[in-house]
């Protein structure tokens, strides 16, 4: 193994690194200030200045391949595609999918989930469940990030109804609707907390 050379006295002062870091900050500051100023007058519009997104008031659209919260996909008649085969639960490395299978009243459909729940506190959003599903019954294309607000474990359990509703909202109101609703929910809870604190 190669032995590490000890730092020289000049290196131990860290002065070049400190000055170098300051130069980068000063350069970025003036560059951004100048570009934003020019953009106000319609100049150099194609040169991008650094932008901080003021989340959650401003939102950036997630890319198409964003892996978001789960949803259960639906058939044309509005029923779940899931056949309770348990492949997703078996593939899940976090063991956070709970399925209770039931006999379907339609003799052409073998089984369906009476209960389908995901414990999002355990989920690592790996997508293995989506990969494992043979009938495209579960997807993570909701563009919604995991819920971060709750006071008890049950607040983070996504039930069959929640997972189905996401598919309905997506189909009826489009891609931005789920995130919009989630943020409205956060605002409502925030206001409630402020009221309780007063
Ligand atoms: S994303 Fe991964 S951890 Fe989460 S439910 Fe699916 S398989 Fe389990
Ligand atoms: S979501 Fe897919 S893999 Fe999971 S139980 Fe239903 S059909 Fe099987």
């Amino acid at each position: 193994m190669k032995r590490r050379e000890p730092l020289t006295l000049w290196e131990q002062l860290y002065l070049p690194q400190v000055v170098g870091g300051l130069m980068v900050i000063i350069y970025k500051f003036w560059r951004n200030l100048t570009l934003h100023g020019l953009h106000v007058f319609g100049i150099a519009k194609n040169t991008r200045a650094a932008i901080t997104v003021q989340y959650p008031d401003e939102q950036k659209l997630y890319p198409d391949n964003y892996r978001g919260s789960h949803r259960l996909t639906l058939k044309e008649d509005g029923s779940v595609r899931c056949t309770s085969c348990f492949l997703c639960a078996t593939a899940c490395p976090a063991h956070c999918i709970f399925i209770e299978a039931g006999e379907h009243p339609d003799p052409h459909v073998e089984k369906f989930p009476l209960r389908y729940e995901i414990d999002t506190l355990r989920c690592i959003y790996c997508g293995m469940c989506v990969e494992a599903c043979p009938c495209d019954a579960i997807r993570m294309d909701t563009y919604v990030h995991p819920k971060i607000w709750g006071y008890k474990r049950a607040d983070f359990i996504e039930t069959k109804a929640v997972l189905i509703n996401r598919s309905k909202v997506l189909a009826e109101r489009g891609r931005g609707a789920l995130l919009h609703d989630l943020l409205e929910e956060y605002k409502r809870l925030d206001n409630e907390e402020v009221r309780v604190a007063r």
Side-chain angles (χ1 to χ4, degrees):
M1 203 165 132
K2 202 180 162 198
R3 216 168 137 255
R4 256 187 95 191
E5 294 295 323
L7 294 179
T8 62
L9 183 63
W10 176 248
E11 284 168 338
Q12 284 179 40
L13 288 175
Y14 295 109
L15 209 58
Q17 287 77 12
V18 171
V19 172
L22 282 173
M23 295 298 287
V24 172
I25 293 168
I26 292 167
Y27 165 73
K28 292 278 181 189
F29 172 78
W30 284 110
R31 181 184 181 275
N32 286 323
L33 195 67
T34 309
L35 279 172
H36 281 301
L38 290 173
H39 291 174
V40 172
F41 298 102
I43 304 166
K45 282 272 188 196
N46 293 334
T47 310
R48 193 167 174 267
I51 295 168
T52 304
V53 177
Q54 302 297 322
Y55 184 85
D57 295 323
E58 281 176 46
Q59 291 155 34
K60 265 184 109 170
L61 268 190
Y62 293 120
D64 285 337
N65 58 355
Y66 175 76
R67 194 182 281 165
S69 290
H70 302 75
R71 69 181 175 104
L72 283 174
T73 59
L74 305 173
K75 294 182 199 162
E76 275 178 17
D77 63 4
S79 61
V80 277
R81 296 179 78 92
C82 175
T83 56
S84 285
C85 68
F86 285 81
L87 281 175
C88 54
T90 308
C92 176
H95 305 293
C96 62
I97 302 178
F98 179 82
I99 305 167
E100 188 184 334
E103 294 297 328
H104 204 280
D106 180 348
H108 298 105
V109 183
E110 201 183 334
K111 287 206 176 85
F112 79 111
L114 284 171
R115 230 170 122 193
Y116 191 108
E117 289 175 0
I118 298 178
D119 182 349
T120 59
L121 287 182
R122 297 181 71 167
C123 175
I124 54 170
Y125 293 85
C126 62
M128 298 283 276
C129 49
V130 178
E131 295 291 322
C133 182
C135 30
D136 190 24
I138 185 162
R139 289 194 190 174
M140 297 172 79
D141 59 355
T142 51
Y143 307 105
V144 187
H145 47 76
K147 187 175 168 180
I148 51 165
W149 199 311
Y151 300 103
K152 48 190 186 306
R153 190 159 197 111
D155 292 337
F156 297 94
I157 306 284
E158 297 191 335
T159 61
K160 179 179 150 186
V162 168
L163 298 169
I164 287 177
N165 190 51
R166 288 200 183 123
S167 281
K168 288 184 180 160
V169 173
L170 208 58
E172 287 163 15
R173 292 169 47 216
R175 175 176 165 163
L178 285 168
L179 186 57
H180 171 267
D181 291 355
L182 187 76
L183 295 175
E184 288 301 308
E185 169 84 356
Y186 285 159
K187 278 185 201 156
R188 187 183 63 74
L189 290 167
D190 196 22
N191 290 338
E192 264 176 28
E193 261 199 355
V194 171
R195 267 204 305 279
V196 170
R198 277 183 187 150

